[in-house]
Structure formats: structure tokens, C-alpha cells
Amino acid sequence: MKVPSRLPVSTSRGDVLLCEVFGPTIQGEGPSAGQVASFLRTGGCNLACDSCDTPYSWDWRRFSRAEQTRRVPAQDVAAEILRHPGELVIVTGGEPMMQQSRLAPAAALLAAAGRRIEVETNGTIAPACGAFDQHVALYVVSPKLTHMGMPERRRIRPEVLAAFQASGRAVFKFVLDGPQDVDELAALQDRHGLGPVWVMPQATTAAAVTRGMRALADAAIERGWNISPRLHVLLWEDERGR
Ligand code: SF4
């Protein structure tokens, strides 16, 4: 689902660059998998992963920025989310940490209404806006491994990972292409002291999710990593807005 047409359009660069709002649905991944949730997806990303499953939110060579995103005042974003039942709000992207100050008023309104805010981030931009950060219950940090196709200096920022770890409100979720990525993740975890860790397979079909989880299970258990499904893929394959 793209940005609902009832939301007002803004030209102010201080407003949220929004890709889509959808829900109620379920969170399919990570520590809150299975919980009823609403999603707020921001537009734009500072990385360019080979296997990105939401390129429409940032890849303006393949998608139209004008069609896929709109600027929307933060209070209208919050009002749209509050139309949905359920406590959990997932702020995702793109890369939502690029818009911390723009998102802060929406986060304040959602928190005041009793919503629990979890932010999904690629882990390259540290929390830098207290007005946003104070309302975030959990950061689900997903650093990218070599198979995502970018140099390490671009996708791994040690000082940012340290800031998330020190927050006490972060978990680390890794997409693995297969068992061949286990050693790279283990070395990254050791080097940066990351935890707790969730691993999940790179997969966009239900059959591939099942196959990928089976391939990762033993190695994950051996290392004390949690395994994440992709419940939305198991239920609805790669249907957008579910
Ligand atoms: S960081 Fe996330 S949204 Fe950005 S390109 Fe990579 S997978 Fe896609």
C-alpha cells in the first residue's frame, strides 16, 4: 500500500518523507515476530543492498520517487497510524534513522497514545535526536554482510554499532544467504560484542524461508543465536503492504 491519498501532501523538507503506512498486520521478523503491528515505512536509504526487499522505498533509478513517496506532516503520519488497532508500531524503511528529527513529533504522539515503537535500522546512523530516541522502545539493528554487495567501510560502522549496543534497547538481526555466512557473522559479533542476535534467511517465498531456516538452525543453536522466521512471507509470499 502506498501513502494513503487522504493524507495531506507537504513540500516542507521538515516533514516526513513517507513511503507507505500499512496495517494492522503482523510483524513477521525478529523478536516481536507474530505480534499485531502497524508499519510506517520512510523513503530513502543511505545504503544500496543487492538483495534489498524494499527497493521501491529508495532506488530512484528503478522506481519513481514522486510515485513512491510523499512528504507528510508528522502529526498526520501519527493520526494515520492511530487509525489502526494494536499497540506495536514498526518504523522501518528505507533507512528511518535518516529522518530522526522529522519523525520525532510522530513518535511523541504515538507514545502518548500508548503505542510501543520499534525502529528497524541498518545500523549505520546512530541515535542523535533525543526527542525521537526517548520514545523508541527497541532498535532492531540489521548490519549488512558481504553478500549484500557493498564495501565493509560503508555497511559496518563500529562506533554506531557501539552506540546501539550501549543503548540497552537494541537487538541485532542478520539476514544470511546461507550457512556460508555463519563464520562472517560470528567474527563480526566477536569483534563488536553484539547481542542478542537474531538470524533469518534471505528469502522471498514461503518454500525458501522454510529451506533457509532449516539450513541455519543447527549453526544458530550452537552459537546461541535466535532464529527469526519471515512470517509475512510464509503467509502472503512477497505481497506488498502485508
Ligand atoms: S539498508 Fe535496508 S532498505 Fe536500505 S538498501 Fe539495504 S536492505 Fe534495502
Side-chain angles (χ1 to χ4, degrees):
M1 181 191 298
K2 293 182 188 174
V3 181
S5 57
R6 62 178 161 271
L7 286 178
V9 182
S10 160
T11 55
S12 168
R13 296 189 66 78
D15 287 336
V16 179
L17 182 64
L18 186 64
C19 177
E20 57 187 353
V21 172
F22 60 92
T25 182
I26 55 159
Q27 167 60 305
E29 305 173 353
S32 298
Q35 293 185 27
V36 173
S38 297
F39 282 73
L40 186 175
R41 186 184 309 285
T42 58
C45 186
N46 62 330
L47 298 184
C49 302
D50 281 353
S51 306
C52 179
D53 57 359
T54 56
Y56 53 85
S57 67
W58 61 270
D59 189 350
W60 311 139
R61 289 171 306 177
R62 295 167 57 194
F63 297 88
S64 162
R65 175 174 169 148
E67 287 178 10
Q68 299 294 335
T69 64
R70 287 162 60 188
R71 289 205 182 271
V72 179
Q75 60 268 32
D76 294 304
V77 176
E80 180 66 20
I81 293 281
L82 291 173
R83 291 164 53 91
H84 306 161
E87 181 187 351
L88 182 60
V89 177
I90 307 296
V91 180
T92 188
E95 177 46 59
M97 297 300 281
M98 295 170 70
Q99 302 194 54
Q100 297 174 57
S101 58
R102 294 178 193 152
L103 289 163
L109 289 166
L110 292 167
R115 301 300 173 103
R116 171 183 163 84
I117 298 171
E118 296 186 4
V119 175
E120 295 184 332
T121 173
N122 61 32
T124 59
I125 302 174
C129 173
F132 177 66
D133 179 64
Q134 66 180 309
H135 301 299
V136 177
L138 185 70
Y139 290 103
V140 180
V141 183
S142 187
K144 306 309 175 194
L145 301 182
T146 302
H147 69 84
M148 285 296 198
M150 285 161 294
E152 180 169 336
R153 67 178 181 283
R154 187 168 174 201
R155 54 188 167 76
I156 303 295
R157 299 281 170 83
E159 72 286 3
V160 176
L161 297 178
F164 280 117
Q165 186 74 63
S167 75
R169 287 173 290 139
V171 302
F172 296 85
K173 183 182 72 177
F174 292 87
V175 176
L176 272 57
D177 226 6
Q180 69 274 15
D181 293 333
V182 165
D183 287 347
E184 180 183 352
L185 171 52
L188 189 72
Q189 182 185 23
D190 284 351
R191 197 155 60 242
H192 300 286
L194 306 177
V197 166
W198 266 256
V199 294
M200 67 180 189
Q202 175 78 51
T204 55
T205 66
V209 169
T210 305
R211 204 168 45 241
M213 290 179 66
R214 287 175 182 163
L216 296 174
D218 287 341
I221 293 165
E222 189 180 319
R223 288 164 179 77
W225 298 338
N226 303 288
I227 301 177
S228 169
R230 306 192 93 160
L231 291 176
H232 52 303
V233 176
L234 293 176
L235 290 168
W236 302 301
E237 299 284 340
D238 62 351
E239 184 181 343
R240 184 169 169 181
R242 300 299 301 265

